[in-house]
Amino acid sequence: MDSPRIRRSSELRQAEIVQAVLALAAESSPADITTARIAAAMALTQGAVFRHFPTKEAIWLAVAEWIEEHLLGAIEEASLSSSEPMEQLRAMFRAHIGFAVAYPGAPRLIFHELQQPGDSAVKRRIRALLGSYRGTLLQVLKCAREGGAVGRELEVEPAATLFIGAIQGLVMQSMLAGGMRGVEETAEGVFEVYLSGIAGRRA
């Protein structure tokens, strides 16, 4: 049985490997990230990497779990930052953009995995992440409608799709432009357009 010190050391190394993958994904396509590149980035041997993760898929799953924990944590915190639904939406939008700016490898990995054929544990984890995210967003949008902050006719499902799509579009355009510089400023204007679109005719 491993001692607590050994377990802590292994957990620390696993966390470092996850961060190495995120850093590599910020600079290149996730398809090009091999265990050899991960090992080289950390000045380790491939054998050392595999001592902490049995397979490459296990590494990717750990990365997906990290993204899920931290992105959902940021979104949940933002959703609780105000009692006003519209301010909650603004905080959630900013939190997601801020996460993408801080960890540009994360959206690259999400896009990459969702484009892969077939099913996998990693893809299922990412779908679960997106499902939880959407659930929180729908709850806030319903509160906005019920409280009269938006028109009674607002359809929350399309509104949620548009919210997420606006963020994905901003992130994708920034990646195509070569970096995330300026995206937070652009996001403010995009959110205002989104807000005016869902406000509609008040009850």
Side-chain angles (χ1 to χ4, degrees):
M1 183 175 179
D2 292 340
S3 70
R5 178 174 295 180
I6 292 173
R7 286 199 299 272
R8 283 196 299 271
S9 176
S10 180
E11 290 170 359
L12 177 60
R13 183 62 79 185
Q14 287 172 345
E16 290 171 347
I17 291 170
V18 166
Q19 291 303 311
V21 171
L22 287 168
L24 288 168
E27 300 170 356
S28 60
S29 169
D32 298 331
I33 301 175
T34 62
T35 51
R37 284 192 65 194
I38 297 168
M42 300 181 68
L44 298 173
T45 64
Q46 278 185 272
V49 172
F50 284 123
R51 277 200 296 273
H52 300 286
F53 289 105
T55 64
K56 182 180 177 181
E57 184 179 37
I59 297 174
W60 254 238
L61 184 57
V63 174
E65 289 170 349
W66 186 93
I67 294 172
E68 179 181 37
E69 178 185 354
H70 290 80
L71 176 55
L72 288 183
I75 294 302
E76 185 67 22
E77 182 178 352
S79 74
L80 299 173
S81 63
S82 171
S83 59
E84 298 295 329
M86 305 306 264
E87 288 306 311
Q88 291 173 333
L89 288 173
R90 185 187 302 277
M92 291 168 66
F93 200 91
R94 286 175 174 171
H96 193 157
I97 292 294
F99 180 85
V101 170
Y103 303 101
R108 283 180 179 269
L109 285 160
I110 290 174
F111 290 145
H112 171 75
E113 286 301 323
L114 291 178
Q115 292 172 24
Q116 299 309 300
D119 198 17
S120 69
V122 178
K123 185 180 286 189
R124 288 193 296 271
R125 193 71 186 230
I126 290 173
R127 284 175 177 162
L129 181 167
L130 297 175
S132 296
Y133 185 129
R134 190 177 183 86
T136 299
L137 180 55
L138 286 169
Q139 185 177 11
V140 175
L141 286 167
K142 288 174 182 176
C143 287
R145 185 177 61 187
E146 291 164 6
V150 298
R152 294 284 185 182
E153 73 280 4
L154 178 71
E155 296 184 38
V156 295
E157 289 284 352
T161 298
L162 185 59
F163 182 98
I164 296 170
I167 293 171
Q168 290 174 334
L170 281 165
V171 172
M172 183 68 74
Q173 288 180 52
S174 297
M175 289 192 298
L176 290 173
M180 303 295 287
R181 180 179 299 176
V183 68
E184 289 175 297
E185 291 77 7
T186 304
E188 291 296 318
V190 170
F191 181 77
E192 291 303 325
V193 173
Y194 172 79
L195 206 61
S196 65
I198 68 168
R201 186 177 69 251
R202 305 293 178 84

